[in-house]
Amino acid sequence: MKRLDVATKIEVSHHRSKTTLDNYTQYFPAVMVYGLNLAGVKGKHNFKDRTIIYVTSQLISAAIVTPAKSITAEERPDRSNKKSFPSGHATTAFSTAHFMYREYRDDNLLLSFSGYPFAIFTSVYRVFNDKHWVTDVVAGAGVGILSTELAYWLYPKFSSFINVKNKKSNSIVVPYYQSQKFGLSYQLSF
């Protein structure tokens, strides 16, 4: 894998074309989902459910990427720090592209795939900008897609806690005082 990384770095250095667009294109698919919704193109979920799924996928990916960067301590190709593996930009780009795919795949397959070119662009330019090795962006893509899949899998399991409209449930907020500190306790019974 290291040989592939080094060989790619050498090849890319001959054709380097730096840009900062990769800092923004990672978010384009998610922006497209919400923009399309404003334009009247409905996705699989309503605004609230879609937002919960999106935020969940981003939290899962951050919970994987952040510690992984510290644990692996892989030096970046430009030697700026030791937080190269996995690529956070690629993770975000592919998680947002997969989010778009999951929202539109049932109604418009072509539209559902339109986020992936942005994810690929983001990942390629992380390598071109000498910020990541090829293996970093491949791992980031995998983490991003898996994070979004996990968010979609988890959502029905915990949505019952969020959507308690027609269910018999009781909740109570109780103030308390302990060791010269005030606080609130919340209890939900269902």
Side-chain angles (χ1 to χ4, degrees):
M1 298 301 270
K2 201 60 174 170
R3 279 191 220 150
L4 171 67
D5 284 339
V6 172
T8 304
K9 179 181 168 131
I10 292 167
E11 184 62 34
V12 166
S13 69
H14 299 302
H15 309 286
R16 184 150 288 135
S17 168
K18 288 193 175 192
T19 182
T20 59
L21 278 176
D22 53 323
N23 292 324
Y24 308 102
T25 55
Q26 63 184 321
Y27 302 109
F28 279 13
V31 171
M32 288 168 58
V33 169
Y34 288 99
L36 285 165
N37 191 253
L38 284 173
V41 181
K42 301 293 181 205
K44 186 174 186 174
H45 294 91
N46 64 34
F47 178 84
K48 180 182 125 191
D49 295 339
R50 176 183 338 117
T51 302
I52 291 168
I53 292 168
Y54 176 69
V55 169
T56 302
S57 74
Q58 296 309 299
L59 290 172
I60 292 168
S61 63
I64 294 168
V65 169
T66 304
K69 285 179 173 286
S70 296
I71 292 168
T72 59
E74 177 73 27
E75 189 170 36
R76 290 184 187 270
D78 68 356
R79 301 186 189 283
S80 60
N81 64 37
K82 291 190 174 210
K83 295 185 183 278
S84 187
F85 184 87
S87 168
H89 281 69
T91 300
T92 301
F94 276 92
S95 69
T96 60
H98 200 62
F99 169 67
M100 184 171 193
Y101 169 74
R102 289 296 304 260
E103 282 299 309
Y104 292 106
R105 72 179 182 180
D106 296 334
D107 296 326
N108 190 331
L109 194 59
L110 185 60
L111 181 61
S112 72
F113 285 118
S114 64
Y116 288 108
F118 292 104
I120 293 166
F121 175 89
T122 300
S123 298
V124 166
Y125 270 89
R126 294 311 286 168
V127 175
F128 276 10
N129 289 336
D130 212 23
K131 291 295 182 183
H132 284 288
W133 304 102
V134 171
T135 51
D136 300 341
V137 297
V138 170
V143 170
I145 290 169
L146 289 173
S147 296
T148 301
E149 279 297 315
L150 187 55
Y152 274 90
W153 181 77
L154 284 171
Y155 181 70
K157 296 173 181 4
F158 71 83
S159 65
S160 61
F161 295 115
I162 298 165
N163 301 320
V164 291
K165 288 180 184 173
N166 298 324
K167 296 181 182 178
K168 291 183 179 182
S169 64
N170 296 315
S171 64
I172 186 169
V173 177
V174 179
Y176 67 88
Y177 176 78
Q178 181 180 4
S179 302
Q180 298 181 338
K181 293 181 184 177
F182 289 97
L184 293 175
S185 175
Y186 178 76
Q187 180 180 355
L188 174 65
S189 302
F190 49 95

